[in-house]
Amino acid sequence: MDFTIPEKLELLRKSVAEFAEREIAPLVEDMEKSGEFPKQLIPKLGEMGLLGLVTSPDYGGNGMGFLARAIAIEEISKVSAAVGITLQVHHMGCWPIETFGTEEQKKRYLPKLAREAIGACSITEPSGGSDVFGMKTTAKQEGDYWVINGRKCFATNSHIAETFVIVARTGEDAKGRPAFSAFIVEPDFEGFSIGREENKVGFRGAYSGELIFNDCKVPKENLLGKEGEGLKIALATVNRVGRPGMASISVGLCYASLEEATKFSKERVLYGKPISNLQAIQFLLADIFSYAEAARWLNYRANWMMDQGLPCDTEMTLAKYVATENAFLCARWACEVHGGYSCILEYPVQRYLRDAWVAIPSGGTSQVAKIVLARHVLKNF
Ligand SMILES: Cc1cc2nc3c(=O)[nH]c(=O)nc-3n(C[C@H](O)[C@H](O)[C@H](O)COP(=O)(O)OP(=O)(O)OC[C@H]3O[C@@H](n4cnc5c(N)ncnc54)[C@H](O)[C@@H]3O)c2cc1C
């Protein structure tokens, strides 16, 4: 067993951290106020190789893989979790095309997505994200097209994506349950429009919007995978890309909380000494550190397993559940260290708390994660 992070990935961590400080930190205040994503960042994310991290060199990416992605998203999210989720859902829009797509689809979409365009993956509908069988959007084949009707919500990157992987109901399976298929949709397809943008408490600057399909005509060659494979594609993408992505953002928030709390504790003087001398404050720092390390290493293990091609759905769910819950606790403890200053917008710990809260349902709630984990426990212990 070797827990050493390869030198190549440590170099990646350093260069992404520098990039985030230089290119993203100056944009955060405006993103918080406006809720808008700074589009000028997209080509820079491409130049840094961040858009193409999980896309193979055959299709224009750098194929650095999932552990590299975890480290990169962690460093980005220490500065802006909103840019972190934009990037992580972009990868959710790339991976299923490479994994389930035809050669023609890969050549058509992936090189651009690896360099200069943003992708998205939209499954959730107003009828409930946890209840995937409750999805109501339908797709019917008519001649050379699939005609899609319905509505998606909470679609990250809704207003900037150039490619959407979506899932719609296309019939019933052999057991009479709804069957779903996946499609690649472009923004200018007839009958497709972007609806309202949600005004969120956290991840401000990352878009979460509605996708509206009104007799939307999708060319039949844009069916992703086989007809009826939509649920398989959606669950694989959420489990193997979405959950570790949310875990990586949350690990970034844990460490951002640790750094800010430690810095503040050394600067804030009470009773003639920095509050870092108080054991109650030291215990908070120890807790933040412990929960951050636990989240980080569960996430690295899951992503390393993904890179090795090992089955890792349980490990991904575990990493996501622990990291998102820990990020919220770490941010809360960092706020406690700050006392009243945690309530002032100038101090970033309040943003970490809001972002960590929003990370918990994104990619599946903690209750849904616990159902998956309990099933594993009952089967294996
Ligand atoms: C910022 C953000 C970004 C997102 N980005 C995307 C995206 O890009 N693409 C996408 O497809 N989706 C996205 N989502 C949607 C996200 O996946 C859903 O919010 C999530 O799956 C939960 O669905 P819901 O919000 O409809 O809650 P519901 O499913 O309505 O859940 C409500 C409550 O019921 C609980 N619950 C549900 N089922 C059970 C059960 N069986 N047992 C016990 N409790 C249960 C839940 O845990 C929760 O507490 C995003 C969400 C957010 C907040």
Side-chain angles (χ1 to χ4, degrees):
M1 204 186 286
D2 181 2
F3 288 101
T4 319
I5 306 281
E7 198 187 338
K8 185 174 87 168
L9 298 191
E10 287 298 1
L11 286 173
L12 175 77
R13 181 192 295 286
K14 192 165 172 287
S15 64
V16 174
E18 284 166 5
F19 170 81
E21 275 308 324
R22 189 178 65 245
E23 301 290 347
I24 302 176
L27 306 171
V28 170
E29 194 181 334
D30 191 50
M31 290 169 74
E32 284 295 308
K33 283 188 188 143
S34 69
E36 303 290 333
F37 189 81
K39 292 197 183 70
Q40 71 273 22
L41 199 56
I42 298 171
K44 292 180 182 171
L45 293 169
E47 277 161 34
M48 268 302 286
L50 298 171
L51 298 182
L53 277 171
V54 297
T55 301
S56 77
D58 295 346
Y59 304 105
N62 55 42
M64 287 191 78
F66 279 78
L67 185 53
R69 174 185 186 242
I71 289 171
I73 293 179
E74 193 182 305
E75 290 305 320
I76 294 283
S77 302
K78 274 168 77 177
V79 174
S80 166
V83 177
I85 192 170
T86 300
L87 198 56
Q88 99 88 353
V89 176
H90 161 78
H91 297 139
M92 288 177 75
C94 301
W95 183 82
I97 297 178
E98 181 155 355
T99 308
F100 301 101
T102 60
E103 195 55 31
E104 201 191 336
Q105 289 169 341
K106 294 181 206 183
K107 285 192 177 137
R108 179 173 163 90
Y109 293 109
L110 292 176
K112 195 167 180 210
L113 286 170
R115 273 195 323 268
E116 58 189 305
I118 292 287
C121 176
S122 181
I123 303 155
T124 306
E125 299 192 2
S127 51
S130 312
D131 178 12
V132 280
F133 282 103
M135 252 187 275
K136 290 190 168 61
T137 298
T138 57
K140 287 203 176 79
Q141 199 168 6
E142 287 180 15
D144 287 341
Y145 292 92
W146 285 90
V147 178
I148 304 189
N149 278 291
R151 194 175 279 258
K152 300 277 173 189
C153 62
F154 283 121
T156 302
N157 298 342
S158 50
H159 291 63
I160 48 171
E162 295 189 33
T163 304
F164 296 84
V165 170
I166 68 115
V167 178
R169 206 167 170 144
T170 46
E172 289 185 351
D173 68 11
K175 291 181 184 159
R177 293 179 308 184
F180 300 92
S181 302
F183 301 90
I184 306 171
V185 177
E186 296 178 29
D188 57 1
F189 282 177
E190 190 186 324
F192 179 54
S193 57
I194 310 296
R196 66 181 235 174
E197 180 201 332
E198 303 299 347
N199 188 12
K200 301 185 298 298
V201 296
F203 291 156
R204 291 192 60 78
Y207 293 115
S208 308
E210 270 185 319
L211 310 183
I212 301 168
F213 302 90
N214 197 356
D215 283 334
C216 169
K217 285 172 83 176
V218 175
K220 67 174 197 250
E221 57 273 17
N222 277 35
L223 174 72
L224 180 60
K226 295 197 184 77
E227 186 181 341
E229 283 189 341
L231 204 55
K232 179 182 95 176
I233 293 172
L235 294 180
T237 307
V238 170
N239 283 339
R240 297 182 206 159
V241 193
R243 291 194 173 141
M246 292 318 302
S248 307
I249 292 167
S250 303
V251 172
L253 287 168
C254 289
Y255 281 90
S257 297
L258 181 64
E259 285 175 17
E260 283 301 315
T262 310
K263 187 170 94 184
F264 185 88
S265 75
K266 289 180 180 171
E267 286 167 3
R268 175 72 171 153
V269 174
L270 290 181
Y271 320 109
K273 284 183 191 161
I275 58 169
S276 56
N277 285 283
L278 299 171
Q279 197 179 50
I281 298 294
Q282 291 173 2
F283 281 9
L284 285 170
L285 298 179
D287 276 340
I288 301 173
F289 177 58
S290 309
Y291 280 60
E293 285 284 297
R296 176 182 264 175
W297 285 98
L298 279 177
N299 191 38
Y300 287 176
R301 178 184 68 164
N303 282 282
W304 176 85
M305 289 173 77
M306 180 79 179
D307 283 336
Q308 307 308 308
L310 297 168
C312 55
D313 283 356
T314 305
E315 287 77 8
M316 292 296 198
T317 303
L318 182 61
K320 194 271 175 189
Y321 168 55
V322 170
T324 51
E325 292 287 343
N326 285 12
F328 189 68
L329 287 170
C330 290
R332 187 219 147 121
W333 291 326
C335 284
E336 282 184 38
V337 171
H338 281 66
Y341 293 94
S342 64
C343 309
I344 296 175
L345 291 179
E346 199 180 309
Y347 289 83
V349 281
Q350 48 74 32
R351 170 162 56 88
Y352 306 154
L353 191 69
R354 290 185 284 110
D355 288 342
W357 177 245
V358 179
I360 292 176
S362 312
T365 65
S366 289
Q367 284 79 9
V368 168
K370 283 195 265 191
I371 293 170
V372 174
L373 296 174
R375 207 180 289 143
H376 172 82
V377 169
L378 292 170
K379 193 170 156 205
N380 293 286
F381 288 84

